[in-house]
Amino acid sequence: MNAGEPFIRFDWIIDNLDQIGQRLGEHVLMVVASVLIGFAISFGLALLARSHRWTYGPIIAVTSTLYAIPSLALFVLLIPITGLSLTTGIVALVLYTLLILVRNIVVALDGVPPEVVEAATGMGYGPLQRFWRVELPVATPVIVAGLRIATVTTVGLVAITTFIGLGGLGYLIINSGTRRFFPTSIYVGVALCVVLAVVADLLLLWLQRRLTPWAAAQGR
Amino acid sequence: MQDAAGAVVAFEHVTKRYGRSGGPPAVDDLTFTVAAGEICVLVGPSGSGKTTTMKMVNRLIEPTSGRITIDGQDVMSLPAVELRRRIGYVIQQVGLFPHLTVAENIAVVPGLLNWDKPRIQTRVEELLDLIGLEAGSYANRYPAELSGGERQRVGVARALAADPPVMLMDEPFGAVDPIRRDRLQNEFLRLQDKVGKTVIFVTHDVDEAIKMADRIAILQRGGRLAQYDAPAAILAEPASEFVEHFVGADRGLKRLSLNRVSDLELTHPIVVRAGDDRAAARARLRDGDGAGYALLVDAEGRPIGWIDDDELAGGGTITANAARAGAVTVEPETTLRDALSALLGSSVMLGVVVDERERVIGLVSVESISDRLRQAGSPT
Amino acid sequence: MELFGQGIAWLADPANWTDPRNGIFLRLWEHVSLSAAALAAAIAIGLPIGLWIGHTGRGATAVIAIANIGRAVPSIGWLGIVFPLTLVALGRGGLGFVPSVIALTALGIPPIVTNAYAGMREVDADLVEAGRGMGMRELDVVRQVEIPVALPVILAGIRVSAVQIVATATLAAIVGGGTLGDFIIQGIFVRALDRVVGAAILVAILAILTELAFSLLERRAISPGIRRGGQTAPIEPGGVALPRVAG
């Protein structure tokens, strides 16, 4: 950054669109992978916590503790185990989604009105059918709402993976930005992060509305 | 499609214990039989095991000993899930599936039984008609869009969908206000007239039991059967002090629940409509039997309110809002006790009897009710 | 795995702690003082706003906007946004502490505001009316009725904010703010992995201690007569219930 130079250099943006696009792509990939894997694991843990209630406390305690650890530190602490690679980043990001999603899924399933469950059982749904056809659909709005939070949070955390060399929009913010005293790159990176978070949130909101036409009737 | 008639449900020495020995059982050596097509009401104080007993029929609770049979077949001989698909189940909070439309809710059990689509469709329309909800506008609504009374009715339709011979109902009308409860009870009785299922109905309300039951099973704390008989017999000859006490000291008044408005001879009101000429209406009123009031009805024949002689004064035509006193309405299935209670609460001591579409059939008065009571005074 | 050993070894060497220019004590102090300053500022700014909007009920859109911004902007983003501005405004003085504390304060405000708002809104309107009916002035109602009842949620918000600030302070090294993160970031640069791992362990412990300390504070500060109400909306970690984005 030099005196006399404009604060934001639009010419740089245009010249580097492909690089910017690449970083954006890396970022999106990491977010999607982490959230999907995190959701799958959280779902399993949530089912475990519901069928064996005593595991719920410990699961929440462990994931809460992990959540408190700053992401950079967690990335670093995983390096001895998973090396300096994409795996390290994904594993850490997945661990962060666990706290939000496990608790969220459990609460969502617990929130199905007991009379609905009782009616389903009394009418002759077997336990598996009841879960898939009644409890899960009714719990969907809350689950997707939790996914929204987890996704937006993950978008922010992925930015920090640049410190262990994983690229993403964090690269624009730190490597080509802050480290080089180059505001244009910083602001492009931050702006894209915000846009990505908002778009992801709205997309999931749309998904929620599509999956639950009946929730509109309730005015949710 | 003709609905199947009810099945015989028999309890043979059914007992349910919780936990280790010690302490009274929840249900103790119950033996009785519910005849096909009858409504058997299980009634008793809390802790009497009435809901437990009902839930043992569809094995939501398994008996500790004894056996329950439906048309001779032990309920344990089928897998529980299959058994439940052949028994209608209605609970107090209804439990309609919020994520399914009304039609889809009703179609659940037929779907589980693998009926083909056209058959399910026909059945859904049939049932909506049976419960008085117009298929066109209600089939695709979600439960959240329905009123409390509508939800209760859909719950009953849903239980009837697969045409089960037995229905279990756990305080199904408990969650609504008394007026709506009366309507729902009457509707169910009309329904039962048409379908004739065997119904096991749990309530804590003795008056509801007397109104609804063909036979009442009174359970006492500890799950023992205190008396199993027709309502009139229980009121006339309670089998024990407990039954006497439970039914209540006002047994005489309770007898009012044994008779319905349909048992009375109805008088007929002078009916006027908006747009009728006032002078003509006054004349008809004077020529009438001295009731002093004319009943204002709408275009479909549904009562709006009462108009007296003074309000008919002057010329011109009657306006739609001319009635000052509202009309109290009852149905043919309403018990005399509820009818009397409704009348005593109104300013005009006349009750308008309406049919299921709320059109006027006739009138009841406090006098006609007390006349009927005098006739029924000697126990039959 | 032996990297852990290296990290522990680095932590075990007292020289690393007392080094006057790059010692652990120094960096630790930087980390804690920066975090404390930012937290204090965030509370000073965010708490009154949240309490007041929660009490009056007006300006809820502002709270929702703050919550959304707080969620959408990544923690590192605040440093990135503030840094060039302070650099331009203050030259060399715009490095280090100044951009760090501003960025961390901005980061720490949303949880405090949204929780103070939510906590105040949840207070039973009957209680407030009773207070007014007894002759309390508005400020008394806020102080003696609403805040004690809303305290669990308010403190939870402060806790979440504190943990976020302590965590992100780690990254302040990137703008010259020092802190324990300096070991990690510089360490990665120069490939001195022993201090990277060692500092990471320390940072993790510091963050967990912060979470525990504030949790304890929460529990102690809440009158035993108040129980936390049930939450049905999806919960952020730490018990923050946030207003949603766009419905």
Side-chain angles (χ1 to χ4, degrees):
Chain A
M1 197 171 76
N2 306 310
E5 222 178 65
F7 200 55
I8 306 277
R9 289 192 40 206
F10 291 99
D11 57 314
W12 180 89
I13 298 179
I14 302 193
D15 284 340
N16 288 278
L17 275 180
D18 54 339
Q19 199 221 142
I20 296 175
Q22 181 198 340
R23 301 297 171 199
L24 182 59
E26 289 167 359
H27 202 110
V28 170
L29 225 66
M30 279 192 274
V31 171
V32 170
S34 312
V35 172
L36 284 179
I37 297 175
F39 182 65
I41 298 180
S42 299
F43 203 81
L45 285 175
L47 291 182
L48 175 67
R50 293 191 81 230
S51 58
H52 300 80
R53 280 281 159 177
W54 60 270
T55 61
Y56 190 49
I59 291 178
I60 295 297
V62 170
T63 48
S64 298
T65 312
L66 286 174
Y67 197 88
I69 300 177
S71 51
L72 184 58
L74 189 61
F75 291 146
V76 165
L77 289 172
L78 283 173
I79 293 178
I81 308 174
T82 51
L84 205 70
S85 67
L86 185 60
T87 316
T88 311
I90 302 287
V91 168
L93 292 167
V94 164
L95 286 176
Y96 282 123
T97 63
L98 289 185
L99 174 63
I100 301 174
L101 291 177
V102 172
R103 188 187 303 203
N104 172 259
I105 296 175
V106 171
V107 167
L109 289 171
D110 282 349
V112 176
E115 63 263 18
V116 169
V117 177
E118 195 190 323
T121 314
M123 283 164 62
Y125 271 116
L128 212 67
Q129 273 183 322
R130 189 187 71 206
F131 182 75
W132 284 111
R133 300 223 223 149
V134 179
E135 296 179 79
L136 200 55
V138 175
T140 297
V142 179
I143 292 180
V144 177
L147 263 176
R148 284 164 60 197
I149 295 182
T151 304
V152 170
T153 308
T154 304
V155 169
L157 290 174
V158 167
I160 304 182
T161 62
T162 185
F163 285 109
I164 54 170
L166 295 180
L169 293 171
Y171 187 91
L172 294 174
I173 300 177
I174 300 295
N175 301 55
S176 54
T178 312
R179 284 233 168 95
R180 305 215 186 123
F181 297 93
F182 186 41
T184 306
S185 177
I186 299 179
Y187 289 133
V188 167
V190 174
L192 284 176
C193 263
V194 174
V195 167
L196 186 59
V198 170
V199 166
D201 191 71
L202 290 176
L203 250 154
L204 285 170
L205 183 62
W206 174 84
L207 181 70
Q208 179 186 326
R209 296 252 163 94
R210 280 295 313 270
L211 287 176
T212 58
W214 50 274
Q218 276 174 322
R220 282 228 231 163
Chain B
M1 180 169 64
Q2 194 64 329
D3 271 50
V8 177
V9 179
F11 291 81
E12 296 167 29
H13 301 289
V14 177
T15 302
K16 177 66 183 174
R17 280 183 199 282
Y18 284 109
R20 295 174 235 304
S21 55
V27 173
D28 194 359
D29 199 38
L30 274 190
T31 303
F32 67 99
T33 303
V34 183
E38 269 196 2
I39 299 182
C40 165
V41 177
L42 300 174
V43 69
S46 62
S48 54
K50 49 192 192 291
T51 302
T52 307
T53 304
M54 188 195 82
K55 285 190 177 173
M56 286 197 280
V57 177
N58 67 357
R59 290 175 60 187
L60 284 175
I61 297 179
E62 306 273 19
T64 312
S65 63
R67 114 193 161 116
I68 302 176
T69 62
I70 299 183
D71 269 349
Q73 188 182 24
D74 193 331
V75 299
M76 301 295 282
S77 64
L78 273 179
V81 165
E82 268 187 58
L83 173 73
R84 291 173 195 152
R85 292 178 191 174
R86 298 174 210 286
I87 297 180
Y89 187 55
V90 181
I91 54 179
Q92 187 176 60
Q93 311 90 326
V94 191
L96 288 184
F97 301 133
H99 63 297
L100 299 178
T101 60
V102 166
E104 288 166 344
N105 259 281
I106 296 178
V108 167
V109 183
L112 288 175
L113 291 172
N114 290 316
W115 288 17
D116 55 70
K117 287 228 164 83
R119 188 179 171 201
I120 298 184
Q121 171 98 338
T122 320
R123 184 65 176 158
V124 169
E125 282 166 20
E126 234 174 69
L127 286 165
L128 282 174
D129 188 53
L130 202 62
I131 58 172
L133 292 179
E134 210 243 298
S137 53
Y138 279 93
N140 291 322
R141 284 202 210 169
Y142 286 103
E145 300 168 279
L146 302 177
S147 72
E150 288 166 345
R151 274 182 225 156
Q152 305 280 132
R153 283 139 94 189
V154 174
V156 173
R158 184 174 69 166
L160 286 170
D163 199 18
V166 177
M167 293 261 290
L168 303 178
M169 303 178 81
D170 188 1
E171 312 239 28
F173 310 129
V176 294
D177 60 79
I179 298 178
R180 206 180 291 153
R181 188 182 317 147
D182 183 53
R183 294 281 184 271
L184 288 172
Q185 287 168 340
N186 296 342
E187 221 173 82
F188 185 75
L189 288 171
R190 289 193 287 264
L191 206 72
Q192 172 70 349
D193 262 349
K194 293 186 201 146
V195 299
K197 304 288 183 201
T198 303
V199 179
I200 297 182
F201 188 115
V202 167
T203 181
H204 63 280
D205 180 357
V206 175
D207 293 303
E208 187 172 42
I210 295 174
K211 174 175 181 176
M212 305 291 289
D214 290 310
R215 267 196 267 205
I216 302 179
I218 303 190
L219 299 172
Q220 58 191 85
R221 200 157 276 152
R224 254 170 301 124
L225 184 62
Q227 190 168 0
Y228 180 56
D229 216 333
I234 291 183
L235 286 175
E237 282 162 76
S240 67
E241 232 182 86
F242 167 77
V243 174
E244 226 182 283
H245 179 79
F246 182 73
V247 168
D250 56 341
R251 269 192 352 261
L253 269 179
K254 289 242 176 357
R255 289 245 190 86
L256 286 176
S257 298
L258 288 174
N259 293 111
R260 316 259 164 102
V261 166
S262 50
D263 293 334
L264 297 176
E265 236 182 74
L266 304 178
T267 54
H268 294 278
I270 307 220
V271 173
V272 298
R273 286 191 161 76
D276 286 357
D277 179 62
R278 280 175 189 259
R282 270 199 318 273
R284 281 168 57 207
L285 202 57
R286 258 175 243 134
D287 290 340
D289 55 5
Y293 289 93
L295 183 64
L296 179 64
V297 303
D298 67 11
E300 276 96 44
R302 296 186 297 217
I304 301 176
W306 296 101
I307 307 185
D308 67 14
D309 198 58
D310 297 326
E311 288 157 332
L312 284 175
T317 55
I318 303 175
T319 53
N321 57 355
R324 220 186 295 166
V328 170
T329 59
V330 294
E331 295 176 303
E333 296 83 9
T334 305
T335 63
L336 290 188
R337 184 183 164 281
D338 292 337
L340 187 61
S341 164
L343 286 184
L344 291 174
S346 83
S347 51
V348 175
M349 303 289 255
L350 292 169
V352 181
V353 185
V354 297
D355 67 10
E356 51 204 56
R357 305 219 184 274
E358 291 182 49
R359 293 170 306 198
V360 177
I361 304 177
L363 290 182
V364 295
S365 62
V366 176
E367 287 82 27
S368 59
I369 294 179
S370 60
D371 279 346
R372 181 73 179 87
L373 286 179
R374 232 174 290 129
Q375 287 171 30
S378 39
T380 32
Chain C
M1 258 317 169
E2 62 149 66
L3 275 177
F4 274 130
Q6 290 184 340
I8 305 283
W10 179 81
L11 284 172
D13 185 352
N16 290 329
W17 286 77
T18 53
D19 184 339
R21 267 180 319 146
N22 204 26
I24 299 179
F25 277 132
L26 176 66
R27 297 291 176 222
L28 186 57
W29 168 247
E30 283 173 347
H31 201 124
V32 172
S33 57
L34 177 61
S35 305
L39 184 63
I43 293 178
I45 299 175
L47 200 57
I49 294 178
L51 290 176
W52 190 246
I53 299 184
H55 171 72
T56 59
R58 277 176 280 142
T61 37
V63 175
I64 297 180
I66 292 176
N68 290 343
I69 294 175
R71 226 173 325 143
V73 176
S75 50
I76 199 177
W78 288 111
L79 285 166
I81 293 175
V82 172
F83 174 55
L85 300 173
T86 57
L87 207 56
V88 164
L90 304 166
R92 294 232 69 180
L95 282 172
F97 188 78
V98 173
S100 305
V101 79
I102 295 176
L104 289 177
T105 303
L107 173 77
I109 289 178
I112 295 180
V113 170
T114 54
N115 267 42
Y117 170 77
M120 296 289 276
R121 294 269 78 207
E122 273 170 19
V123 174
D124 199 343
D126 293 339
L127 289 175
V128 175
E129 211 176 284
R132 287 198 187 117
M134 292 196 308
M136 288 185 181
R137 292 166 303 164
E138 277 311 286
L139 218 60
D140 289 330
V141 173
V142 171
R143 260 186 335 129
Q144 293 180 26
V145 177
E146 292 182 295
I147 290 184
V149 174
L151 205 55
V153 184
I154 296 175
L155 289 181
I158 294 181
R159 172 169 52 86
V160 170
S161 180
V163 173
Q164 256 174 234
I165 288 177
V166 168
T168 311
T170 316
L171 303 173
I174 202 67
V175 297
T179 80
L180 292 172
D182 195 86
F183 291 126
I184 302 179
I185 293 175
Q186 292 306 320
I188 294 184
F189 217 55
V190 302
R191 291 256 164 224
L193 291 179
D194 59 340
R195 74 177 73 156
V196 169
V197 175
I201 295 176
L202 218 51
V203 163
I205 294 176
L206 181 62
I208 295 176
L209 281 179
T210 308
E211 162 97 26
L212 288 176
F214 276 87
S215 290
L216 215 71
L217 202 77
E218 251 178 270
R219 227 166 298 176
R220 289 292 215 76
I222 295 173
S223 150
I226 309 281
R227 273 183 310 119
R228 183 99 71 97
Q231 284 149 325
T232 51
I235 300 175
E236 286 256 8
V240 174
L242 296 181
R244 314 245 195 102
V245 182

